[in-house]
Amino acid sequence: MNHTMILSWVTFIYFVSFVLYLFRLITGKKFWGRAASFLVWAGLIAQTIALLLRWKTSYSMGIGHVPLANLYESMVFFSWSIVLIYLIIEWRTKNKIFGVFVIPTAFLAMAYASIAPDINNRIEPLIPALQSNWLTSHVVTCFMGYAAFAIAFGCSLIYLLKNKKKGDVEKPEGFSGKLPALATLDTLIYQSTTLGFVFLTIGIMTGSIWAHYAWGSYWSWDPKETWSLITWLIYAIMLHSRYVRGWRGKRMAILAIIGFACVLFTYLGVNYLPGLHSYLRT
Amino acid sequence: MLNNNFLWSFFSSVKLTITLLVLIVLVFIAATFLPSQDVFQTFAGQLSPGTAKIFFFFRLSDLYHSPLFYFLMTLLSLNLIICSINRFPILWRQYKAPHFPEPAGSFDNLPQSLIITEAKEISKIKLIVKSSLKKKYRSGKETDTERGSVFYAERGRFSLFGVYIIHLSILVMIAGAIIGSIFGFTADINIKEGETVNLANLTKGNGIKQLNFSVRCDKFIVEFYEDGTPKTYRSDLSFIKNGKVEKQGSLLVNHPLTFDNFRFYQSSYGAAPESKAIVTYTIAGKKGGSIGVAAGDTFDLPEGKARGFVMRIEENIMEMGPAVKLRIISPEKDIQFWVFQQLDKLLAMKPNLFSEAPMLNPGLFKPFVFSIDGVEHTYYTGLHIVRDPGIPLVALGGLLMIIGLIIVFFMSYQCIWVRIEQQDAKISISITGRSNRNNQQLQNKIDYLCRQIDQELKA
């Protein structure tokens, strides 16, 4: 079985586990939650194996490099990071409900990587600009950050959904009663945002060290650099408004959603603007 | 004075910080969508004169270097500095806060953090409490109050300064960037293979800089993968100072070279306008000689005192492959003709080629017959030269920021008080604490401490 086959199975597995998380949410039966996280673990292991296989394959093709070099590989890694961070949080909080909103992002990333017509999944050789030891640390830290923000985004969606249904009072009954408590969500949004913020900061820094060695300038105002800074500033505003002005709950959720929109634009939208990060275009 | 106070409170407000950050974000968004400097000229032509004026005035094509952006960054820096100064006394008081007595009400309403025991002597209990605290906390202190002995321990007091470290790191980075833009220098040079250059074009057409050393490109190599993707760009360079080669090295993308405080980067390459050809000739069927030439070169032919001029070198003329146009002058003759590399092929297609076009006959100057072994590009390598004295500061800023973030997000200042109180026959041990953030973590720590002391007592 080659890595492409495994990755299409992983896509399918993530979809099925999303459906199982949905069952868990609707029926309230714990069995579905356990089944869903079992599947997600299986998916993560399979995806890890697929990534390692792809890595090995590139070496047997004589153009060996870490599988983080084009849009397709970064998409697969994005989904891998989301699932990894999600499973760690699930394991620590013992809460299997917000998987309903997080696993779909991992599934969508995988589906987009395999279906989108302008993404090719061939293993390509590394152009000179990418032949650097900084490639791995830059991409890994950035995508860990993106993944943490994706989780904050998922939690924010649940928060707004739950908050919309009723005023300020939490009711234990009904559909929204089955969703995690607002306070839990608020903490999760905050914690995953701080995690993402630290990773994004390190990601921007490793990127700028790399740029220093590759382009001769640690900061070139390339659109991707600028947008990563915009994303960083949005989350900085979000954290400041929490620390200094005491913002909580709904406002934080809205900021986390705006922040994630910036993440997506930094990752995908910027590729349509001219700039130095052009190797991500198709 | 009033005016001063107004300015001070204006610059020390967090509302200003957030407003500035939002404005900076908007400037950035605009900057990424507005046409950049290099395409701006064509874009400006389509604008009305008035709009174009506004564009030039605000430097909208290069907002990152516009007065507007500099203004916002200046305000942000002032805001950061003044906020930091303003909040420092409060922070200092927190840092210097006395350990005793504990904050009022600390020991009221403690549900789990309370152990009551009858078994041990009070002096033994004190020892157990002390050693349990010592395991995880620093600077244990003890005092006797009217309600018993109180022990104090703490950790992470320096974490109060985490936010300061982050804010300082931003100022350090801004300072580094300013130093870099004032005292730094970037330039580009193109050097042909074999050529030595000591002039560099400053970036953005800011003139020409004379270097006090020269750079020679000994060789430029570009390699490709099987699928045609570029694999390596490599320039072999020699750095020459006072007529001596002081350093030689291979410059690759991602592997800059440093000489005399300048860093050299492989940034582009291209084919130089002239190509090189290897011209060989036979004399009456016997082997004659071989010369490497470029367009414009001259060469002497043995015997007959003839001189050759290389008039043109073509890599692929009229789809018929590489060719060289020669002019041979001797006292008797002055003739011009073409020498094709793929003459055999041409003759196979048109057997009577020479009678139709005598100029394509490489044997026109008898008894010499010329041929070429190939036409080669000469490349030029494009180097980017940088000197940026601000980099150490920017790097220091980055390091400080990482340290600050780790302190702010993953550490906290925790104070713990333990009171041992004799109540008739019983002794009660109460534990309480304070933290500057993350109270859940503090609660977990207190619970853990409780269990630990409890176990020790039972043992």
Side-chain angles (χ1 to χ4, degrees), chain A residues 125-126 128-129 131 198 202 210 212-214 216 221 226-227 243, chain B residues 14 32 64 225 230-231 254 263 265 386 391 394 398 402 409:
Chain A
L126 280 187
Q131 295 165 10
V198 172
I202 300 174
W210 184 8
H212 168 80
Y213 286 110
W221 296 113
T226 311
W227 270 94
Y243 289 145
Chain B
V14 180
T32 54
Y64 311 112
Y225 293 103
K231 183 182 183 185
N254 275 311
R263 289 196 320 278
Y265 294 88
V386 179
I391 281 183
V394 176
I402 299 284
F409 290 140

PDB file of all heavy atoms in Angstrom, chain A residues 125-126 128-129 131 198 202 210 212-214 216 221 226-227 243, chain B residues 14 32 64 225 230-231 254 263 265 386 391 394 398 402 409:
ATOM      1  N   PRO A 125      11.190  17.611  -6.478  1.00  0.00           N
ATOM      2  CA  PRO A 125      12.504  17.914  -5.907  1.00  0.00           C
ATOM      3  C   PRO A 125      12.516  19.312  -5.292  1.00  0.00           C
ATOM      4  O   PRO A 125      11.706  20.164  -5.652  1.00  0.00           O
ATOM      5  CB  PRO A 125      13.442  17.843  -7.112  1.00  0.00           C
ATOM      6  CG  PRO A 125      12.585  18.028  -8.306  1.00  0.00           C
ATOM      7  CD  PRO A 125      11.235  17.507  -7.957  1.00  0.00           C
ATOM      8  N   LEU A 126      13.418  19.531  -4.379  1.00  0.00           N
ATOM      9  CA  LEU A 126      13.524  20.826  -3.696  1.00  0.00           C
ATOM     10  C   LEU A 126      14.297  21.816  -4.542  1.00  0.00           C
ATOM     11  O   LEU A 126      15.414  21.545  -4.965  1.00  0.00           O
ATOM     12  CB  LEU A 126      14.264  20.662  -2.367  1.00  0.00           C
ATOM     13  CG  LEU A 126      13.506  20.135  -1.173  1.00  0.00           C
ATOM     14  CD1 LEU A 126      14.401  20.237   0.059  1.00  0.00           C
ATOM     15  CD2 LEU A 126      12.233  20.897  -0.948  1.00  0.00           C
ATOM     16  N   PRO A 128      16.515  25.285  -5.028  1.00  0.00           N
ATOM     17  CA  PRO A 128      17.601  25.741  -4.156  1.00  0.00           C
ATOM     18  C   PRO A 128      17.123  26.548  -2.947  1.00  0.00           C
ATOM     19  O   PRO A 128      17.648  26.389  -1.849  1.00  0.00           O
ATOM     20  CB  PRO A 128      18.458  26.590  -5.087  1.00  0.00           C
ATOM     21  CG  PRO A 128      18.239  26.006  -6.433  1.00  0.00           C
ATOM     22  CD  PRO A 128      16.812  25.542  -6.445  1.00  0.00           C
ATOM     23  N   ALA A 129      16.109  27.417  -3.127  1.00  0.00           N
ATOM     24  CA  ALA A 129      15.673  28.268  -2.018  1.00  0.00           C
ATOM     25  C   ALA A 129      15.158  27.454  -0.839  1.00  0.00           C
ATOM     26  O   ALA A 129      15.224  27.893   0.305  1.00  0.00           O
ATOM     27  CB  ALA A 129      14.597  29.235  -2.495  1.00  0.00           C
ATOM     28  N   GLN A 131      16.260  24.401  -0.007  1.00  0.00           N
ATOM     29  CA  GLN A 131      17.249  23.459   0.525  1.00  0.00           C
ATOM     30  C   GLN A 131      17.912  24.053   1.756  1.00  0.00           C
ATOM     31  O   GLN A 131      19.015  24.577   1.701  1.00  0.00           O
ATOM     32  CB  GLN A 131      18.308  23.146  -0.534  1.00  0.00           C
ATOM     33  CG  GLN A 131      17.755  22.415  -1.742  1.00  0.00           C
ATOM     34  CD  GLN A 131      18.710  22.445  -2.916  1.00  0.00           C
ATOM     35  OE1 GLN A 131      19.853  22.839  -2.783  1.00  0.00           O
ATOM     36  NE2 GLN A 131      18.232  22.038  -4.086  1.00  0.00           N
ATOM     37  N   VAL A 198       2.301  31.288  20.778  1.00  0.00           N
ATOM     38  CA  VAL A 198       3.718  30.984  21.001  1.00  0.00           C
ATOM     39  C   VAL A 198       4.303  30.309  19.758  1.00  0.00           C
ATOM     40  O   VAL A 198       5.366  30.690  19.267  1.00  0.00           O
ATOM     41  CB  VAL A 198       3.895  30.090  22.253  1.00  0.00           C
ATOM     42  CG1 VAL A 198       5.334  29.621  22.368  1.00  0.00           C
ATOM     43  CG2 VAL A 198       3.489  30.848  23.498  1.00  0.00           C
ATOM     44  N   ILE A 202       7.258  31.716  17.233  1.00  0.00           N
ATOM     45  CA  ILE A 202       8.480  30.978  16.900  1.00  0.00           C
ATOM     46  C   ILE A 202       8.527  30.719  15.393  1.00  0.00           C
ATOM     47  O   ILE A 202       9.583  30.809  14.773  1.00  0.00           O
ATOM     48  CB  ILE A 202       8.560  29.664  17.710  1.00  0.00           C
ATOM     49  CG1 ILE A 202       8.580  29.987  19.200  1.00  0.00           C
ATOM     50  CG2 ILE A 202       9.811  28.880  17.345  1.00  0.00           C
ATOM     51  CD1 ILE A 202       8.523  28.773  20.095  1.00  0.00           C
ATOM     52  N   TRP A 210      15.573  32.117   8.589  1.00  0.00           N
ATOM     53  CA  TRP A 210      15.774  31.453   7.291  1.00  0.00           C
ATOM     54  C   TRP A 210      15.917  32.498   6.187  1.00  0.00           C
ATOM     55  O   TRP A 210      16.827  32.437   5.350  1.00  0.00           O
ATOM     56  CB  TRP A 210      14.607  30.497   7.035  1.00  0.00           C
ATOM     57  CG  TRP A 210      14.738  29.680   5.795  1.00  0.00           C
ATOM     58  CD1 TRP A 210      15.828  29.580   4.972  1.00  0.00           C
ATOM     59  CD2 TRP A 210      13.742  28.832   5.235  1.00  0.00           C
ATOM     60  NE1 TRP A 210      15.563  28.726   3.948  1.00  0.00           N
ATOM     61  CE2 TRP A 210      14.297  28.259   4.081  1.00  0.00           C
ATOM     62  CE3 TRP A 210      12.431  28.509   5.611  1.00  0.00           C
ATOM     63  CZ2 TRP A 210      13.578  27.381   3.276  1.00  0.00           C
ATOM     64  CZ3 TRP A 210      11.711  27.629   4.821  1.00  0.00           C
ATOM     65  CH2 TRP A 210      12.291  27.067   3.665  1.00  0.00           C
ATOM     66  N   HIS A 212      16.912  35.446   6.461  1.00  0.00           N
ATOM     67  CA  HIS A 212      18.214  36.097   6.624  1.00  0.00           C
ATOM     68  C   HIS A 212      19.297  35.326   5.858  1.00  0.00           C
ATOM     69  O   HIS A 212      20.155  35.923   5.212  1.00  0.00           O
ATOM     70  CB  HIS A 212      18.535  36.166   8.117  1.00  0.00           C
ATOM     71  CG  HIS A 212      19.946  36.543   8.431  1.00  0.00           C
ATOM     72  ND1 HIS A 212      20.382  37.838   8.395  1.00  0.00           N
ATOM     73  CD2 HIS A 212      21.023  35.794   8.763  1.00  0.00           C
ATOM     74  CE1 HIS A 212      21.659  37.877   8.705  1.00  0.00           C
ATOM     75  NE2 HIS A 212      22.077  36.650   8.935  1.00  0.00           N
ATOM     76  N   TYR A 213      19.235  33.992   5.927  1.00  0.00           N
ATOM     77  CA  TYR A 213      20.248  33.189   5.232  1.00  0.00           C
ATOM     78  C   TYR A 213      19.949  33.021   3.744  1.00  0.00           C
ATOM     79  O   TYR A 213      20.863  32.877   2.943  1.00  0.00           O
ATOM     80  CB  TYR A 213      20.383  31.817   5.894  1.00  0.00           C
ATOM     81  CG  TYR A 213      21.115  31.886   7.208  1.00  0.00           C
ATOM     82  CD1 TYR A 213      20.446  31.685   8.405  1.00  0.00           C
ATOM     83  CD2 TYR A 213      22.473  32.190   7.241  1.00  0.00           C
ATOM     84  CE1 TYR A 213      21.112  31.776   9.614  1.00  0.00           C
ATOM     85  CE2 TYR A 213      23.150  32.288   8.445  1.00  0.00           C
ATOM     86  CZ  TYR A 213      22.466  32.082   9.627  1.00  0.00           C
ATOM     87  OH  TYR A 213      23.134  32.192  10.816  1.00  0.00           O
ATOM     88  N   ALA A 214      18.676  33.010   3.380  1.00  0.00           N
ATOM     89  CA  ALA A 214      18.341  32.715   1.985  1.00  0.00           C
ATOM     90  C   ALA A 214      18.249  33.974   1.132  1.00  0.00           C
ATOM     91  O   ALA A 214      18.728  34.000   0.011  1.00  0.00           O
ATOM     92  CB  ALA A 214      17.031  31.941   1.924  1.00  0.00           C
ATOM     93  N   GLY A 216      18.876  37.261   2.376  1.00  0.00           N
ATOM     94  CA  GLY A 216      19.713  38.370   2.818  1.00  0.00           C
ATOM     95  C   GLY A 216      18.959  39.435   3.574  1.00  0.00           C
ATOM     96  O   GLY A 216      19.474  40.527   3.770  1.00  0.00           O
ATOM     97  N   TRP A 221       8.837  42.294   3.836  1.00  0.00           N
ATOM     98  CA  TRP A 221       7.473  42.748   3.563  1.00  0.00           C
ATOM     99  C   TRP A 221       6.853  41.986   2.400  1.00  0.00           C
ATOM    100  O   TRP A 221       6.097  42.526   1.614  1.00  0.00           O
ATOM    101  CB  TRP A 221       7.416  44.244   3.303  1.00  0.00           C
ATOM    102  CG  TRP A 221       7.809  45.055   4.485  1.00  0.00           C
ATOM    103  CD1 TRP A 221       8.906  45.836   4.601  1.00  0.00           C
ATOM    104  CD2 TRP A 221       7.120  45.154   5.751  1.00  0.00           C
ATOM    105  NE1 TRP A 221       8.959  46.411   5.845  1.00  0.00           N
ATOM    106  CE2 TRP A 221       7.879  46.021   6.571  1.00  0.00           C
ATOM    107  CE3 TRP A 221       5.952  44.608   6.276  1.00  0.00           C
ATOM    108  CZ2 TRP A 221       7.501  46.346   7.869  1.00  0.00           C
ATOM    109  CZ3 TRP A 221       5.585  44.932   7.575  1.00  0.00           C
ATOM    110  CH2 TRP A 221       6.356  45.796   8.351  1.00  0.00           C
ATOM    111  N   THR A 226       3.818  39.750   5.758  1.00  0.00           N
ATOM    112  CA  THR A 226       2.932  40.780   6.282  1.00  0.00           C
ATOM    113  C   THR A 226       1.669  40.166   6.869  1.00  0.00           C
ATOM    114  O   THR A 226       1.231  40.535   7.948  1.00  0.00           O
ATOM    115  CB  THR A 226       2.560  41.774   5.173  1.00  0.00           C
ATOM    116  OG1 THR A 226       3.750  42.186   4.524  1.00  0.00           O
ATOM    117  CG2 THR A 226       1.865  42.973   5.737  1.00  0.00           C
ATOM    118  N   TRP A 227       1.102  39.177   6.140  1.00  0.00           N
ATOM    119  CA  TRP A 227      -0.134  38.575   6.654  1.00  0.00           C
ATOM    120  C   TRP A 227       0.113  37.756   7.904  1.00  0.00           C
ATOM    121  O   TRP A 227      -0.754  37.687   8.781  1.00  0.00           O
ATOM    122  CB  TRP A 227      -0.838  37.763   5.570  1.00  0.00           C
ATOM    123  CG  TRP A 227      -1.782  38.654   4.832  1.00  0.00           C
ATOM    124  CD1 TRP A 227      -1.549  39.334   3.681  1.00  0.00           C
ATOM    125  CD2 TRP A 227      -3.108  39.019   5.245  1.00  0.00           C
ATOM    126  NE1 TRP A 227      -2.634  40.102   3.352  1.00  0.00           N
ATOM    127  CE2 TRP A 227      -3.601  39.926   4.290  1.00  0.00           C
ATOM    128  CE3 TRP A 227      -3.911  38.683   6.333  1.00  0.00           C
ATOM    129  CZ2 TRP A 227      -4.873  40.494   4.386  1.00  0.00           C
ATOM    130  CZ3 TRP A 227      -5.188  39.243   6.431  1.00  0.00           C
ATOM    131  CH2 TRP A 227      -5.649  40.137   5.466  1.00  0.00           C
ATOM    132  N   TYR A 243      -6.383  40.315  28.944  1.00  0.00           N
ATOM    133  CA  TYR A 243      -5.604  40.624  30.145  1.00  0.00           C
ATOM    134  C   TYR A 243      -5.970  41.977  30.728  1.00  0.00           C
ATOM    135  O   TYR A 243      -6.131  42.129  31.922  1.00  0.00           O
ATOM    136  CB  TYR A 243      -4.110  40.637  29.811  1.00  0.00           C
ATOM    137  CG  TYR A 243      -3.532  39.289  29.539  1.00  0.00           C
ATOM    138  CD1 TYR A 243      -2.537  39.109  28.588  1.00  0.00           C
ATOM    139  CD2 TYR A 243      -3.990  38.178  30.242  1.00  0.00           C
ATOM    140  CE1 TYR A 243      -2.011  37.861  28.338  1.00  0.00           C
ATOM    141  CE2 TYR A 243      -3.470  36.930  29.991  1.00  0.00           C
ATOM    142  CZ  TYR A 243      -2.481  36.774  29.041  1.00  0.00           C
ATOM    143  OH  TYR A 243      -1.963  35.547  28.801  1.00  0.00           O
TER     144      TYR A 243
ATOM    145  N   VAL B  14      -4.316  51.838  27.393  1.00  0.00           N
ATOM    146  CA  VAL B  14      -4.301  50.612  26.604  1.00  0.00           C
ATOM    147  C   VAL B  14      -5.248  50.743  25.409  1.00  0.00           C
ATOM    148  O   VAL B  14      -5.067  50.092  24.386  1.00  0.00           O
ATOM    149  CB  VAL B  14      -4.692  49.417  27.494  1.00  0.00           C
ATOM    150  CG1 VAL B  14      -4.677  48.133  26.704  1.00  0.00           C
ATOM    151  CG2 VAL B  14      -3.749  49.320  28.650  1.00  0.00           C
ATOM    152  N   THR B  32      -0.786  45.106   1.320  1.00  0.00           N
ATOM    153  CA  THR B  32      -0.643  43.876   0.544  1.00  0.00           C
ATOM    154  C   THR B  32      -1.539  43.884  -0.688  1.00  0.00           C
ATOM    155  O   THR B  32      -1.310  43.120  -1.612  1.00  0.00           O
ATOM    156  CB  THR B  32      -0.951  42.621   1.382  1.00  0.00           C
ATOM    157  OG1 THR B  32      -2.228  42.766   1.978  1.00  0.00           O
ATOM    158  CG2 THR B  32       0.086  42.404   2.451  1.00  0.00           C
ATOM    159  N   TYR B  64       4.893  50.389   3.658  1.00  0.00           N
ATOM    160  CA  TYR B  64       5.785  49.988   4.747  1.00  0.00           C
ATOM    161  C   TYR B  64       6.868  51.015   4.994  1.00  0.00           C
ATOM    162  O   TYR B  64       7.534  50.995   6.012  1.00  0.00           O
ATOM    163  CB  TYR B  64       6.448  48.645   4.422  1.00  0.00           C
ATOM    164  CG  TYR B  64       5.486  47.591   3.964  1.00  0.00           C
ATOM    165  CD1 TYR B  64       5.512  47.118   2.658  1.00  0.00           C
ATOM    166  CD2 TYR B  64       4.553  47.071   4.843  1.00  0.00           C
ATOM    167  CE1 TYR B  64       4.635  46.140   2.244  1.00  0.00           C
ATOM    168  CE2 TYR B  64       3.668  46.098   4.435  1.00  0.00           C
ATOM    169  CZ  TYR B  64       3.715  45.637   3.129  1.00  0.00           C
ATOM    170  OH  TYR B  64       2.844  44.673   2.721  1.00  0.00           O
ATOM    171  N   TYR B 225      17.368  19.243 -12.019  1.00  0.00           N
ATOM    172  CA  TYR B 225      16.911  17.872 -11.813  1.00  0.00           C
ATOM    173  C   TYR B 225      16.443  17.311 -13.149  1.00  0.00           C
ATOM    174  O   TYR B 225      16.293  18.054 -14.131  1.00  0.00           O
ATOM    175  CB  TYR B 225      15.742  17.832 -10.831  1.00  0.00           C
ATOM    176  CG  TYR B 225      16.075  18.227  -9.422  1.00  0.00           C
ATOM    177  CD1 TYR B 225      15.728  19.487  -8.938  1.00  0.00           C
ATOM    178  CD2 TYR B 225      16.697  17.343  -8.560  1.00  0.00           C
ATOM    179  CE1 TYR B 225      16.003  19.855  -7.636  1.00  0.00           C
ATOM    180  CE2 TYR B 225      16.979  17.699  -7.248  1.00  0.00           C
ATOM    181  CZ  TYR B 225      16.629  18.954  -6.795  1.00  0.00           C
ATOM    182  OH  TYR B 225      16.892  19.314  -5.504  1.00  0.00           O
ATOM    183  N   PRO B 230      15.229  23.616 -11.246  1.00  0.00           N
ATOM    184  CA  PRO B 230      16.599  23.953 -10.856  1.00  0.00           C
ATOM    185  C   PRO B 230      17.005  23.261  -9.562  1.00  0.00           C
ATOM    186  O   PRO B 230      16.206  23.126  -8.644  1.00  0.00           O
ATOM    187  CB  PRO B 230      16.569  25.469 -10.677  1.00  0.00           C
ATOM    188  CG  PRO B 230      15.167  25.884 -10.758  1.00  0.00           C
ATOM    189  CD  PRO B 230      14.380  24.793 -11.371  1.00  0.00           C
ATOM    190  N   LYS B 231      18.242  22.780  -9.525  1.00  0.00           N
ATOM    191  CA  LYS B 231      18.728  22.040  -8.357  1.00  0.00           C
ATOM    192  C   LYS B 231      19.756  22.853  -7.579  1.00  0.00           C
ATOM    193  O   LYS B 231      19.697  22.934  -6.372  1.00  0.00           O
ATOM    194  CB  LYS B 231      19.355  20.732  -8.832  1.00  0.00           C
ATOM    195  CG  LYS B 231      19.835  19.831  -7.730  1.00  0.00           C
ATOM    196  CD  LYS B 231      20.469  18.589  -8.333  1.00  0.00           C
ATOM    197  CE  LYS B 231      20.890  17.626  -7.236  1.00  0.00           C
ATOM    198  NZ  LYS B 231      21.603  16.476  -7.818  1.00  0.00           N
ATOM    199  N   ASN B 254      20.959  29.935   0.268  1.00  0.00           N
ATOM    200  CA  ASN B 254      20.902  29.481   1.662  1.00  0.00           C
ATOM    201  C   ASN B 254      22.269  29.359   2.321  1.00  0.00           C
ATOM    202  O   ASN B 254      22.349  28.994   3.488  1.00  0.00           O
ATOM    203  CB  ASN B 254      20.183  28.131   1.802  1.00  0.00           C
ATOM    204  CG  ASN B 254      18.679  28.313   1.899  1.00  0.00           C
ATOM    205  OD1 ASN B 254      18.216  29.126   2.685  1.00  0.00           O
ATOM    206  ND2 ASN B 254      17.940  27.581   1.095  1.00  0.00           N
ATOM    207  N   ARG B 263      27.764  40.641   3.675  1.00  0.00           N
ATOM    208  CA  ARG B 263      27.312  39.284   3.393  1.00  0.00           C
ATOM    209  C   ARG B 263      26.869  39.214   1.937  1.00  0.00           C
ATOM    210  O   ARG B 263      26.180  40.104   1.438  1.00  0.00           O
ATOM    211  CB  ARG B 263      26.171  38.875   4.328  1.00  0.00           C
ATOM    212  CG  ARG B 263      26.630  38.654   5.768  1.00  0.00           C
ATOM    213  CD  ARG B 263      25.594  37.882   6.559  1.00  0.00           C
ATOM    214  NE  ARG B 263      24.248  38.326   6.225  1.00  0.00           N
ATOM    215  CZ  ARG B 263      23.674  39.395   6.750  1.00  0.00           C
ATOM    216  NH1 ARG B 263      24.304  40.116   7.649  1.00  0.00           N
ATOM    217  NH2 ARG B 263      22.462  39.739   6.391  1.00  0.00           N
ATOM    218  N   TYR B 265      24.945  37.095  -1.103  1.00  0.00           N
ATOM    219  CA  TYR B 265      23.893  36.107  -1.329  1.00  0.00           C
ATOM    220  C   TYR B 265      23.766  35.806  -2.807  1.00  0.00           C
ATOM    221  O   TYR B 265      23.853  36.714  -3.643  1.00  0.00           O
ATOM    222  CB  TYR B 265      22.544  36.639  -0.835  1.00  0.00           C
ATOM    223  CG  TYR B 265      22.499  36.814   0.650  1.00  0.00           C
ATOM    224  CD1 TYR B 265      22.916  38.006   1.231  1.00  0.00           C
ATOM    225  CD2 TYR B 265      22.065  35.792   1.469  1.00  0.00           C
ATOM    226  CE1 TYR B 265      22.895  38.166   2.603  1.00  0.00           C
ATOM    227  CE2 TYR B 265      22.041  35.941   2.841  1.00  0.00           C
ATOM    228  CZ  TYR B 265      22.457  37.128   3.402  1.00  0.00           C
ATOM    229  OH  TYR B 265      22.432  37.278   4.757  1.00  0.00           O
ATOM    230  N   VAL B 386      24.747  42.627   1.433  1.00  0.00           N
ATOM    231  CA  VAL B 386      24.059  43.234   2.569  1.00  0.00           C
ATOM    232  C   VAL B 386      25.050  43.535   3.672  1.00  0.00           C
ATOM    233  O   VAL B 386      25.935  42.745   3.965  1.00  0.00           O
ATOM    234  CB  VAL B 386      22.989  42.270   3.138  1.00  0.00           C
ATOM    235  CG1 VAL B 386      22.299  42.884   4.338  1.00  0.00           C
ATOM    236  CG2 VAL B 386      21.978  41.889   2.081  1.00  0.00           C
ATOM    237  N   ILE B 391      21.271  43.763  13.004  1.00  0.00           N
ATOM    238  CA  ILE B 391      20.875  42.373  13.201  1.00  0.00           C
ATOM    239  C   ILE B 391      21.090  41.841  14.630  1.00  0.00           C
ATOM    240  O   ILE B 391      20.196  41.199  15.172  1.00  0.00           O
ATOM    241  CB  ILE B 391      21.537  41.485  12.135  1.00  0.00           C
ATOM    242  CG1 ILE B 391      20.721  41.644  10.863  1.00  0.00           C
ATOM    243  CG2 ILE B 391      21.591  40.015  12.551  1.00  0.00           C
ATOM    244  CD1 ILE B 391      21.143  40.809   9.725  1.00  0.00           C
ATOM    245  N   VAL B 394      18.126  42.915  16.624  1.00  0.00           N
ATOM    246  CA  VAL B 394      16.886  42.237  16.247  1.00  0.00           C
ATOM    247  C   VAL B 394      16.890  40.810  16.793  1.00  0.00           C
ATOM    248  O   VAL B 394      15.889  40.332  17.335  1.00  0.00           O
ATOM    249  CB  VAL B 394      16.704  42.241  14.715  1.00  0.00           C
ATOM    250  CG1 VAL B 394      15.480  41.457  14.317  1.00  0.00           C
ATOM    251  CG2 VAL B 394      16.601  43.664  14.206  1.00  0.00           C
ATOM    252  N   GLY B 398      14.357  39.070  19.442  1.00  0.00           N
ATOM    253  CA  GLY B 398      13.641  37.817  19.212  1.00  0.00           C
ATOM    254  C   GLY B 398      13.821  36.862  20.375  1.00  0.00           C
ATOM    255  O   GLY B 398      12.846  36.263  20.858  1.00  0.00           O
ATOM    256  N   ILE B 402      10.838  35.382  22.979  1.00  0.00           N
ATOM    257  CA  ILE B 402      10.538  33.970  23.266  1.00  0.00           C
ATOM    258  C   ILE B 402      10.587  33.727  24.781  1.00  0.00           C
ATOM    259  O   ILE B 402       9.680  33.124  25.364  1.00  0.00           O
ATOM    260  CB  ILE B 402      11.558  33.049  22.561  1.00  0.00           C
ATOM    261  CG1 ILE B 402      11.502  33.228  21.053  1.00  0.00           C
ATOM    262  CG2 ILE B 402      11.324  31.597  22.934  1.00  0.00           C
ATOM    263  CD1 ILE B 402      10.347  32.591  20.386  1.00  0.00           C
ATOM    264  N   PHE B 409       3.210  32.847  29.589  1.00  0.00           N
ATOM    265  CA  PHE B 409       2.174  31.838  29.370  1.00  0.00           C
ATOM    266  C   PHE B 409       2.368  30.579  30.210  1.00  0.00           C
ATOM    267  O   PHE B 409       1.417  29.875  30.488  1.00  0.00           O
ATOM    268  CB  PHE B 409       2.115  31.451  27.898  1.00  0.00           C
ATOM    269  CG  PHE B 409       1.572  32.546  27.029  1.00  0.00           C
ATOM    270  CD1 PHE B 409       2.118  32.798  25.785  1.00  0.00           C
ATOM    271  CD2 PHE B 409       0.502  33.324  27.448  1.00  0.00           C
ATOM    272  CE1 PHE B 409       1.629  33.822  24.980  1.00  0.00           C
ATOM    273  CE2 PHE B 409       0.003  34.346  26.662  1.00  0.00           C
ATOM    274  CZ  PHE B 409       0.576  34.590  25.422  1.00  0.00           C
TER     275      PHE B 409
END
